[in-house]
Amino acid sequence: FFSTESDTEVLLALYAVFGRNMLLKLDGMFSFVIWDKLEEKMFCARDRFGEKPFFYYKDEKYFIFGSEMKALWAFGIKKKLNQNRLKDYILKNNIIEPENSNTTFYENIFQLDSSHYALLNKNGKIEINKYWSLDNIKINNEISFEDAKAKYYKLFKESVERRMRSDVPLGSSLSGGIDSSSIVCLIDNIKGNKQIQKVFSARFNNFLKDEGIYIQEVLKQCKNIESFDTWPSEFNIIDLMEKTIFHQEEPFGSSSILAQWKVMELAKENEVTVLLDGQGADEFLAGYLSEYKVYLYQLYLNNNKKYYSEYESYMKKFGNTLPIQDFKYSETLRMKLGRFKKNIFNQSFKNKSLKQSLKFLINESRLKELLRYSDRNSMAHSREVRLPFLSHKLVEFVFSLPDDYILRNGWTKFIHRKALEINLPSKVCWRIDKVGYETPQQNWLNSHEVNIRVKSQQIKYEIEDSTLKNNFKYGNMKWRLFMSSFID
């Protein structure tokens, strides 16, 4: 029997019955600490994907933890920026330290990694273990595409329905992309006329990549929806940066995070406490076109006939804007001989596969960044963001599928598109471009105050003008220099 009405008490009951194995029974986001009086141990845990943060500092005397680094600094831990990390970010755009994702931009402050738990005994010894991974999932080559599509839809709908449970007002973010649109349309289908769904979008005046046309397609199709827009402007970028970086605490990759901040602010103004969002889909459904290059090379090595079919399909869709060089013409003689030898002896190739690349995005790279941005921006406005795509059962299922169920005929997220096309407007479901809160960043960076900050950081880090302008090689370094001026 429970003695309170708090959902947190469920965690204590689970721990009392299952101990550490309780983590395998949880679905969704969490970050918590339980003091086990019987074993005299502290049990700390973080969810599978790292939706919720867990920072800590440890020395011989203290173990201090919190959901923000500000809590540790308030305790008295010295706030000391790691200058090498900041310079690495400026020069190489590394937001997460390669192969060491539990570090932060501040010395002696760490984070418990996603899908890990920690045990701290009374003597101060800490033991950290991983409790979940995607490493040993077997590919089901027997499942038909139709059966896979049906199961995918069932799992996705179940995840959305679970994350709709709320005793406070619930709405959705809507960018116009396939991910957020899938959630909005499915909720409209589930709720019918029982409740108006409020959706929140970032829009940009006179900007080529404004997604208003796709947002309107969703609004036309959904019958029980109320739409709210925010229009971020370059005129408030300094003020907005100061507010956002205070809560983010570490650098972020682009000004799209400022647009996300404004969406959360808009939700608060309209008294919607819980938001469903589409984060996470790109990382396990291969939504980035760079993953198609990995897949094509995998096919080139192992299935030449299929490679040429997929390469042709890809080039028909993206050849003019995002071309991929035909591996037939880029392969060296030594590489050809090695490939022929392996084919003759039926040996497997050790090159990075599509699934390995997706695991890297989930465990070591992009997803960790996006989840941090989303959590800090939402919590800064006391909003709760829930992510239906990050149901571990859904992700595990996709990882069990053949690769050509995920990428096919030049389409990314193929199984999702086919499973959700009954709910989505066709123009959204089968759009080939990908934007996602892309802002008119270059225009925003042209102000006098921005240029003063950039020049100051350029001098400090000894970066030549020629390096700054070479965007092809260095990416948007001007943004990173501007960002660093708020971190220093």
Side-chain angles (χ1 to χ4, degrees), residues 86-111:
L86 187 60
K87 189 166 186 178
D88 193 50
Y89 160 73
I90 293 170
L91 296 175
K92 302 176 184 177
N93 199 24
N94 284 335
I95 293 175
I96 295 174
E97 190 172 12
E99 299 181 359
N100 203 8
S101 58
N102 71 325
T103 61
T104 70
F105 276 77
Y106 297 91
E107 294 185 8
N108 301 316
I109 295 180
F110 302 90
Q111 52 187 329

Side-chain angles (χ1 to χ4, degrees), residues 10 13 63 89 114 150 178 246 277 316 320 358 370:
V10 177
F63 178 76
Y89 160 73
S114 55
I178 185 174
F246 174 79
D277 206 336
K316 282 181 180 178
N320 292 331
L358 296 180
L370 295 175

Side-chain angles (χ1 to χ4, degrees), residues 255-389:
S255 59
S256 65
I257 312 309
L258 303 180
Q260 186 186 62
W261 171 281
K262 297 297 287 184
V263 168
M264 297 303 161
E265 184 179 67
L266 185 65
K268 183 175 183 178
E269 289 170 359
N270 288 278
E271 300 180 335
V272 171
T273 309
V274 175
L275 289 168
L276 270 63
D277 206 336
Q279 301 279 20
D282 287 319
E283 286 69 34
F284 75 94
L285 287 167
Y288 303 115
L289 286 181
S290 55
E291 298 310 302
Y292 230 111
K293 183 175 182 179
V294 174
Y295 179 53
L296 285 171
Y297 191 52
Q298 176 182 309
L299 288 178
Y300 182 72
L301 295 174
N302 297 292
N303 189 336
N304 232 232
K305 184 178 179 181
K306 196 168 187 177
Y307 162 74
Y308 286 110
S309 172
E310 280 294 333
Y311 177 78
E312 184 179 347
S313 295
Y314 178 92
M315 292 302 290
K316 282 181 180 178
K317 289 184 175 65
F318 305 107
N320 292 331
T321 52
L322 294 163
I324 288 179
Q325 187 175 4
D326 189 340
F327 292 114
K328 179 177 68 175
Y329 299 108
S330 60
E331 192 178 32
T332 65
L333 178 61
R334 184 176 180 181
M335 290 165 68
K336 286 181 182 177
L337 292 173
R339 178 165 55 83
F340 291 147
K341 178 182 175 183
K342 286 182 181 293
N343 285 331
I344 290 170
F345 292 102
N346 199 27
Q347 296 173 332
S348 61
F349 291 89
K350 294 182 179 179
N351 299 76
K352 183 170 65 173
S353 69
L354 174 65
K355 295 287 176 56
Q356 288 172 325
S357 184
L358 296 180
K359 278 191 282 189
F360 178 80
L361 288 176
I362 292 168
N363 297 326
E364 307 292 339
S365 177
R366 185 71 175 153
L367 183 61
K368 289 178 182 287
E369 297 173 25
L370 295 175
L371 294 181
R372 190 250 290 183
Y373 305 154
S374 176
D375 179 74
R376 289 335 132 70
N377 277 348
S378 59
M379 289 290 97
H381 295 94
S382 302
R383 304 303 95 180
E384 179 181 318
V385 169
R386 299 176 183 175
L387 308 176
F389 282 99

